[in-house]
Amino acid sequence: MEKVLTSARHPYPRRRGLSRGGFILGILFFVGVVVLVGVGFVTLKGMMTSDKAMPVRQTVIDGVLNAVNKKDIADIIGRMTAGENISTLDLSPVLNTLSQIPWVAHVEIEKQMPDTLIVSIVEHEPAAFWKDDGLYDAKTQSVFYPDLRRFKRSLVKLSAYHDNLAPEVYAKTVLFIKELKRAPLQLVAVNLDNIRCYHVILSNGTELVLGRNNDNDIILRRLRRFVDVYRQTQMNLDEINYVDLRYDVGFAVNYKKESDTKNTEKQE
């Protein structure tokens, strides 16, 4: 008996390959998209970096300011940034200029698109006068020199032969004030001279010579000894030019009406 053999149909038909024309069209489409994206990027970049595009139009001054005038800050920024493209604006010159203002302790500038600069300013907080024309900021531990003609606060006056000694003099002054409160006596000035000898001026003008700062405990012990004697004797400081405390067990007193120095000793 004859058998007829037939071929079985494959369950998965073969995929027809892309034609040559379709492949070329796909390549051209891809290239076209890349070109359009590139042209768009270049065009957008050109628009954003153009001198006439996205100019700075507004400045916002942030911060609690007492000594610094916000209008003056805005005027400075306006002169330096007017018409400039905010996206390409270099803020370094502006920051440097604002940092040179004596009352400015810290400044930051942030760009807020499309046309605004946010300026944050922190003022110095004066804790003491420094010499005749400066102020000392205890938070930043720095000396600054503003126009003091309108500054009316009553502060202790500090001085030394170099500005970088201001933090040391201030720290010692805090300790001196603490000791003198036991009397009570008011300190108005402290000077560290060029041989590193501390001089304290009281509110009535009497000077206390504490000596060199070789040992912090020594000069504080000398001041404590003077306060103890003052509390016991209630000496009249209005009659005294200065008190020299540079002794181991006592101190010397110079009176305004007498040329000779009287010595007063107090055992520890």
Side-chain angles (χ1 to χ4, degrees), residues 2-14:
E2 252 181 57
K3 291 184 180 180
V4 179
L5 300 176
T6 59
S7 62
R9 193 170 186 181
H10 198 282
Y12 301 102
R14 294 181 180 178

Side-chain angles (χ1 to χ4, degrees), residues 86-91 109-113 116-118:
I86 192 171
S87 65
T88 59
L89 177 63
D90 181 7
L91 296 176
I109 304 179
E110 177 185 355
K111 296 178 181 179
Q112 187 177 79
M113 297 301 183
T116 303
L117 295 177
I118 308 295

Side-chain angles (χ1 to χ4, degrees), residues 57 132 163 176 182 193 200 237 241 251:
R57 299 184 186 277
D132 293 324
D163 285 0
F176 298 159
R182 298 192 300 113
D193 65 23
V200 171
L237 294 178
N241 281 318
F251 50 81

Side-chain angles (χ1 to χ4, degrees), residues 243-264:
V243 180
D244 191 342
L245 302 171
R246 293 173 293 180
Y247 294 85
D248 293 333
V249 294
F251 50 81
V253 178
N254 179 273
Y255 288 88
K256 295 179 180 178
K257 295 181 180 180
E258 298 179 17
S259 58
D260 296 332
T261 298
K262 296 182 178 180
N263 292 321
T264 303

Side-chain angles (χ1 to χ4, degrees), residues 222-234:
R222 291 170 178 170
L223 184 58
R224 190 174 300 120
R225 182 173 60 216
F226 168 77
V227 170
D228 290 340
V229 172
Y230 175 80
R231 294 176 64 185
Q232 293 172 13
T233 64
Q234 288 296 311

Side-chain angles (χ1 to χ4, degrees), residues 46-189:
M47 292 175 60
M48 292 185 65
T49 58
S50 170
D51 291 339
K52 296 182 180 180
M54 303 179 68
V56 176
R57 299 184 186 277
Q58 185 178 201
T59 299
V60 177
I61 312 295
D62 185 26
V64 179
L65 304 180
N66 298 308
V68 176
N69 188 294
K70 290 187 176 183
K71 183 180 182 302
D72 292 342
I73 298 295
D75 289 344
I76 292 173
I77 296 174
R79 289 194 298 270
M80 299 185 70
T81 66
E84 294 290 333
N85 187 315
I86 192 171
S87 65
T88 59
L89 177 63
D90 181 7
L91 296 176
S92 298
V94 184
L95 284 169
N96 183 62
T97 299
L98 296 181
S99 297
Q100 300 305 312
I101 298 174
W103 276 104
V104 173
H106 180 72
V107 58
E108 293 181 355
I109 304 179
E110 177 185 355
K111 296 178 181 179
Q112 187 177 79
M113 297 301 183
D115 60 3
T116 303
L117 295 177
I118 308 295
V119 183
S120 300
I121 294 177
V122 178
E123 284 186 339
H124 280 295
E125 295 185 18
F129 285 104
W130 182 253
K131 299 180 180 178
D132 293 324
D133 54 352
L135 293 168
Y136 176 73
D137 184 340
K139 287 190 174 182
T140 61
Q141 295 190 329
S142 61
V143 174
F144 60 105
Y145 292 92
D147 185 350
L148 295 178
R149 287 177 295 181
R150 296 182 181 179
F151 187 75
K152 303 301 181 182
R153 291 177 58 185
S154 178
L155 299 173
V156 172
K157 180 180 177 181
L158 310 179
S159 59
Y161 54 91
H162 200 288
D163 285 0
N164 63 9
L165 293 169
E168 174 188 332
V169 176
Y170 179 80
K172 293 295 186 298
T173 300
V174 172
L175 298 177
F176 298 159
I177 291 174
K178 183 178 179 180
E179 288 295 334
L180 290 170
K181 279 184 177 179
R182 298 192 300 113
L185 293 170
Q186 184 180 2
L187 175 156
V188 296

